[in-house]
Amino acid sequence: MKKPYHFYAVVLPGLEALAAQELESLSAHDLREDEGGVHFSGTLDTLYRVSLRARCITRVLLRVGKCHAMSLSELQHNITKMRWERFIPQGATIAVKASTEKSKLTHSDLVAERVQAGIKQALGKRLEKAGDSRQTVYIHINNNRCVVSMDTSGERLDRRGYRLQSAKAPIRETLAAGLLQWMAWQGSETLYVPMCGSGTFAIEAAMMAKHMAPNMQHAFPFHDWDVFKAKRWQRILLRTQEMQKSDITLSIHVSDHQQGALTAARSNAKRAAVLTDLKITEQDVRQLQPNDDEHGLIMCNPPYGLRIESEGEAFYQMLGQRLKHHFEGWRVLVICPSWKHERALGMPVRRRLKVRHGGLWLDALDVSSNPVPAYKI
């Protein structure tokens, strides 16, 4: 039996546990979380499934090798001994991204140059031939120990391709999907998304409910690798397409008081092929209320002072009053940038998830009056 490949899934800090749950559901093994990512192992089939279907992962790296280096010459020598021919095709353009900490080698640019030189030395004439493949190598050095990886994702996986129009301060697709998973939303439950912005929460929800893989149109650099298995990829691609549900009815209500946001949401939802699954209306959150005898989940990502101009704490106070008086019995998530906003919201917090987004640490607050069910991937 062949040895498994070792991978590292990069995620937004705070989403590690959710990413690990996703990876396990996609047949990944040896899961180990650390800040900003999850280590796992598996076959190339595992990589293909994760790349297509994982919703809250930013990037996947494949470990090429490890070594110890106290000098640039030692680093370059060790790089030449790694099996680059498996991952770098003929005539490829190679980019190297380096980071170092607590090590003799402190200059990341010089480290990148030596890694580049070592790869070229190892591959020789293979890189002299014409080709259009672009490959990226990552090296991280900590305490003089080097971990070398190939990027398998190319463009970040949160860039699904549907959000070509954006409202102010949009939430990342991976964070939106992760928070929906954290709140255990299922397609049978009514979902309200006020202050929808560019529609990311609603679009990710519709795609989740319909089992639409988020990265079907993504261009993956591993397609050019020598180890790439085209038939296995096609089989997994077909299976992923067959999982999609087209005959379900969703109750996803999307609103905003700004026409620009609604236009962006409609346009993005159309590109994502979920426009007909959303009920999009112009409405100020101050007038928001559910239909009679309706219950479900409401996802609130209010504007706050550090992102865009807003009324700050007064807005959160108004929102808390609206939720308490009109959404009793609903499950509710509100994103807060600080304890001041949380205090102004004035709602008991059942759970919190601290996440880093846009350079800020935010609290996703579960202020539901009902317990949260287990999420089914």
Side-chain angles (χ1 to χ4, degrees):
M1 184 177 178
K2 291 183 178 181
K3 291 183 179 180
Y5 290 93
H6 296 280
F7 302 97
Y8 184 73
V10 179
V11 302
L12 288 173
L15 296 185
E16 296 89 350
L18 291 164
Q21 182 185 1
E22 259 197 330
L23 289 165
E24 186 175 24
S25 74
L26 295 169
S27 303
H29 301 289
D30 307 316
L31 298 165
R32 179 169 60 86
E33 301 171 29
D34 66 16
E35 185 178 353
V38 182
H39 301 265
F40 68 100
S41 65
T43 63
L44 288 176
D45 284 12
T46 308
L47 172 63
Y48 302 159
R49 280 193 298 272
V50 169
S51 298
L52 287 170
R53 294 168 54 189
R55 299 185 187 277
C56 58
I57 289 170
T58 302
R59 182 178 303 283
V60 180
L61 304 178
L62 182 149
R63 301 306 194 199
V64 177
K66 298 180 180 180
C67 64
H68 184 275
M70 300 283 285
S71 67
L72 290 171
S73 58
E74 183 182 12
L75 172 64
Q76 182 172 336
H77 174 72
N78 289 331
I79 291 295
T80 63
K81 296 189 292 185
M82 296 180 184
R83 296 185 60 190
W84 295 105
E85 71 281 357
R86 296 181 299 170
F87 310 111
I88 297 181
Q90 294 184 358
T93 299
I94 304 168
V96 179
K97 298 186 178 182
S99 59
T100 73
E101 56 181 321
K102 302 176 184 177
S103 300
K104 290 285 187 181
L105 300 176
T106 58
H107 198 302
S108 58
D109 288 343
L110 292 178
V111 168
E113 288 177 8
R114 287 304 185 101
V115 171
Q116 183 100 234
I119 295 172
K120 290 181 177 179
Q121 184 180 342
L123 295 177
K125 294 182 179 180
R126 184 181 179 91
L127 295 181
E128 296 176 3
K129 300 179 180 180
D132 57 5
S133 178
R134 294 182 177 274
Q135 301 292 328
T136 302
V137 175
Y138 284 78
I139 177 168
H140 179 67
I141 306 177
N142 186 356
N143 289 320
N144 306 309
R145 290 187 288 270
C146 312
V147 178
V148 186
S149 308
M150 289 296 303
D151 172 36
T152 76
S153 302
E155 184 74 86
R156 284 191 341 226
L157 297 179
D158 60 280
R159 294 175 177 171
R160 316 283 204 223
Y162 63 73
R163 200 169 70 188
L164 300 185
Q165 288 184 263
S166 183
K168 291 182 179 180
I171 191 171
R172 272 202 197 183
E173 292 88 332
T174 45
L175 180 55
L179 292 178
L180 285 161
Q181 291 179 8
W182 188 62
M183 291 301 292
W185 182 77
Q186 302 291 334
S188 57
E189 184 180 22
T190 296
L191 175 66
Y192 271 46
V193 185
M195 302 166 287
C196 69
S198 52
T200 309
F201 264 130
I203 293 169
E204 290 294 319
M207 293 175 68
M208 287 169 56
K210 299 178 75 171
H211 292 191
M212 297 171 65
N215 298 311
M216 292 292 285
Q217 307 303 319
H218 200 86
F220 297 102
F222 57 67
H223 285 174
D224 297 331
W225 295 357
D226 280 12
V227 296
F228 177 66
K229 306 296 183 185
K231 288 184 178 179
R232 286 160 66 178
W233 166 258
Q234 289 297 327
R235 185 168 65 244
I236 291 171
L237 194 64
L238 179 60
R239 173 59 182 145
T240 303
Q241 291 170 331
E242 290 173 343
M243 292 174 66
Q244 185 171 323
K245 297 180 179 179
S246 58
D247 58 347
I248 63 172
T249 301
L250 302 176
S251 180
I252 301 178
H253 300 262
V254 186
S255 62
D256 204 293
H257 74 286
Q258 295 183 342
Q259 276 296 328
L262 296 174
T263 298
R266 289 191 184 97
S267 179
N268 295 334
K270 184 177 180 179
R271 269 187 294 274
V274 298
L275 179 58
T276 57
D277 299 292
L278 310 182
K279 298 176 179 64
I280 302 177
T281 58
E282 181 179 357
Q283 186 177 43
D284 193 304
V285 70
R286 293 170 178 82
Q287 280 77 51
L288 185 70
Q289 60 184 25
N291 296 324
D292 293 340
D293 300 323
E294 190 175 42
H295 290 86
L297 171 65
I298 180 168
M299 302 287 285
C300 298
N301 183 28
Y304 40 82
L306 290 175
R307 294 194 311 162
I308 58 180
E309 294 182 4
S310 70
E311 299 166 330
E313 295 165 49
F315 184 90
Y316 273 79
Q317 185 176 28
M318 176 280 300
L319 179 62
Q321 292 298 316
R322 195 78 196 172
L323 293 172
K324 284 185 285 188
H325 293 158
H326 295 277
F327 288 87
E328 183 179 357
W330 280 65
R331 301 194 305 110
V332 181
L333 177 136
V334 181
I335 296 178
C336 278
S338 74
W339 66 269
K340 293 180 180 179
H341 293 79
E342 180 180 332
R343 182 181 61 185
L345 186 68
M347 299 182 72
V349 177
R350 177 185 292 274
R351 301 179 301 154
R352 72 178 64 239
L353 182 67
K354 189 173 287 292
V355 294
R356 189 166 179 80
H357 183 253
L360 302 173
W361 280 102
L362 307 173
D363 280 317
L365 306 179
D366 175 5
V367 292
S368 308
S369 57
N370 298 328
V372 175
Y375 176 69
K376 299 176 182 178
I377 293 180

